[in-house]
């Protein structure tokens, strides 16, 4: 089980690294360092609200990029861009990727609700937050360590 979380973190990190450009990589490094701690001090749901608010999901093009990344094979990269929003979108991807790959939430439901009814998705995540909080820490710590080891500080 532990090994699987690390393997999943490597897969997600590779997808993120290939999808971010320029400054967004170093900003993602900051997100990876800060957000895992924030989840455990403020809670999963308040931190998720913050990440969603910063990810620019009011723009359908960005939702399309996020859902394409969730559906893409690990060798394919989707250009999330180089903005601050891209770094938050990448961290949101990391969380959603874990939830779908661990079958905590169905990927089809996740993508459908991202496109059509984010409030319903947030409600479902709220319902599952005790399970998510208990299971996701090792994975997010692995993402944090990978970001610290591989992404250069600017």
């Amino acid at each position: 089980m532990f090994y699987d979380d690390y393997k999943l973190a490597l897969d997600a990190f590779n997808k993120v690294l290939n999808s971010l450009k320029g400054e967004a990589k170093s900003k993602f490094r900051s997100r990876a360092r800060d957000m895992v701690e924030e989840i455990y001090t403020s809670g999963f749901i308040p931190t998720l609200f913050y990440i969603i608010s910063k990810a620019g999901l009011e723009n359908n093009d960005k939702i399309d990029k996020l859902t394409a990344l969730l559906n893409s094979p690990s060798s394919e990269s989707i250009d999330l861009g180089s903005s601050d929003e891209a770094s938050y979108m990448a961290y949101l991807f990391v969380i959603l990727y874990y939830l779908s790959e661990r079958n905590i939430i169905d990927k089809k439901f996740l993508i459908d609700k991202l496109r059509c009814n984010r409030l319903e998705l947030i409600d479902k995540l709220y319902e599952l937050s005790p399970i998510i909080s208990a299971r996701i820490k090792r994975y997010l710590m692995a993402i944090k360590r990978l970001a610290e080891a591989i992404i250069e500080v600017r």
Side-chain angles (χ1 to χ4, degrees):
M1 177 74 160
F2 300 149
Y3 172 79
D4 292 342
D5 283 349
Y6 297 127
K7 174 65 174 127
L8 194 62
L10 279 168
D11 293 343
F13 185 78
N14 263 330
K15 289 177 95 167
V16 164
L17 200 60
N18 291 330
S19 297
L20 293 174
K21 309 296 177 231
E23 282 291 307
K25 286 183 182 181
S26 62
K27 290 178 180 182
F28 175 79
R29 183 182 191 274
S30 295
R31 304 301 156 253
R33 295 184 74 208
D34 298 341
M35 291 298 122
V36 69
E37 303 304 326
E38 191 66 29
I39 286 171
Y40 288 95
T41 55
S42 298
F44 176 75
I45 291 298
T47 305
L48 181 69
F49 288 170
Y50 178 75
I51 295 166
I52 289 171
S53 76
K54 295 293 198 174
L57 296 184
E58 62 278 354
N59 179 322
N60 284 336
D61 289 339
K62 291 182 181 171
I63 291 173
D64 290 344
K65 288 180 180 184
L66 181 59
T67 57
L69 191 58
L70 282 165
N71 277 326
S72 70
S74 48
S75 60
E76 183 183 332
S77 71
I78 307 296
D79 184 4
L80 295 180
S82 60
S83 69
D84 198 41
E85 284 182 345
S87 69
Y88 282 99
M89 193 181 341
Y91 200 75
L92 179 59
F93 161 77
V94 162
I95 292 170
L96 298 178
Y97 186 73
Y98 179 84
L99 298 177
S100 66
E101 294 298 312
R102 287 287 170 257
N103 296 313
I104 295 171
I105 195 160
D106 179 69
K107 186 187 285 189
K108 185 176 178 341
F109 172 85
L110 178 68
I111 289 171
D112 180 54
K113 297 309 173 193
L114 272 172
R115 290 186 186 282
C116 303
N117 191 343
R118 285 186 294 282
L119 196 53
E120 192 174 331
L121 174 62
I122 290 168
D123 188 50
K124 182 69 171 172
L125 293 173
Y126 176 79
E127 181 183 311
L128 295 170
S129 65
I131 295 165
I132 295 167
S133 295
R135 293 183 58 189
I136 202 169
K137 186 173 186 176
R138 180 178 301 102
Y139 168 80
L140 292 179
M141 288 302 293
I143 295 288
K144 174 184 175 180
R145 297 295 182 233
L146 285 166
E148 290 172 333
I150 294 172
I151 298 173
E152 188 177 323
V153 179
R154 292 186 181 202

